[in-house]
Amino acid sequence: MFRAVFIAAAFWCVAAGMFAQSGTAKLDSVTIEGSTHYKSDRIADAIGMKPGMTVDRDALQGGADRLAALGLFNSVSYKFSSDQSGVRVIYTVADAPTAPAIFDNFPWVTNAEIVAGVQQAGVPFDGTAPLNGTILDSISAAIEHFLDSRSIHARVSHTAVANPATGAQAQQFRADDVTLTINSVNFSDDLAAKDAGLSDRLPDLVGKPYSRSLIDLFVFEQVRPLYLGRGRSEERRVGKECRSRW
């Protein structure tokens, strides 16, 4: 479902007069205020607003429109002023709710490495993502670039899904043109390794395409009850006993 984002603008007379005279001016500074999740310079880069570029009123409004389209903010407002050094614009935003990001089939790298790779690409990202918005394509592109740096070439897509274990909403990223099959599943703990009922359910994973979501569902439905049945002291071990090989 797409959200409506409120956008408001304000300006000082000196800036209005300058635009009236020439129509354009140099952008002296751009600041994004109000976000507790993302740094101002990262957000500015994401909307293509850079000091030194030539702007007019439409360009400033376009920056606000692109901020709203990212999907990261519930509201966007801006104001601008100018002097001999150029135009100074301040965008004020309010963070929107985000959902956990699931990296479904990237067995070559850890989640932390993917998050760091996206951040190094300059994309505002903290391991969560909105359910819609243009930032999702930027995250996918950054993951592709990160994988390329590891000599792994794949097209990455994104889809809003329900977490298979909890039912909560999440944003799933997948490598679409890569097929990896789960060849075997090992358990590091004797309780799981020697449980006949759990062994009978291994075909739920073995031979299937590699998917962390599928593995998480297996852990939640099959492994978790085995440990919870032995008391709360076993809960910390749930989700750590399943190891897949691909």
Side-chain angles (χ1 to χ4, degrees), residues 38-123:
Y38 315 105
K39 294 182 178 180
S40 175
D41 57 344
R42 291 289 179 88
I43 304 171
D45 286 344
I47 62 172
M49 298 294 287
K50 300 180 182 297
M53 64 188 295
T54 299
V55 296
D56 57 15
R57 292 188 190 181
D58 288 342
L60 300 183
Q61 178 63 48
D65 294 340
R66 290 190 295 277
L67 276 174
L70 288 174
L72 298 175
F73 309 114
N74 276 330
S75 65
V76 176
S77 62
Y78 69 97
K79 60 184 179 181
F80 60 91
S81 64
S82 72
D83 56 24
Q84 295 302 315
S85 62
V87 175
R88 298 184 301 275
V89 59
I90 299 174
Y91 295 96
T92 301
V93 300
D95 290 327
T98 55
I102 297 175
F103 306 112
D104 191 53
N105 60 340
F106 304 91
W108 321 277
V109 293
T110 66
N111 287 357
E113 288 174 325
I114 295 175
V115 172
V118 174
Q119 292 174 340
Q120 288 171 6
V123 178

Side-chain angles (χ1 to χ4, degrees), residues 48 53 68 124 130 186 192 194 204 246:
M53 64 188 295
N186 299 315
K194 296 179 179 179
D204 293 349
W246 46 274

Side-chain angles (χ1 to χ4, degrees), residues 149-226:
S149 72
R150 301 290 185 94
S151 298
I152 303 166
H153 308 297
R155 187 175 69 85
V156 177
S157 65
H158 52 81
T159 308
V161 299
N163 186 301
T166 66
Q169 289 184 311
Q171 188 65 243
Q172 183 185 84
F173 295 89
R174 285 185 52 85
D176 286 339
D177 47 359
V178 173
T179 301
L180 301 170
T181 301
I182 300 175
N183 292 325
S184 64
V185 177
N186 299 315
F187 299 99
S188 59
D189 183 71
D190 283 346
L191 177 63
K194 296 179 179 179
D195 186 81
L198 198 56
S199 295
D200 290 342
R201 299 308 303 262
L202 289 182
D204 293 349
L205 291 178
V206 177
K208 301 296 193 299
Y210 179 88
S211 165
R212 290 181 181 176
S213 296
L214 181 64
I215 294 171
D216 287 345
L217 181 62
F218 182 86
V219 169
F220 185 80
E221 292 184 343
Q222 307 301 331
V223 181
R224 181 175 180 270
L226 180 64

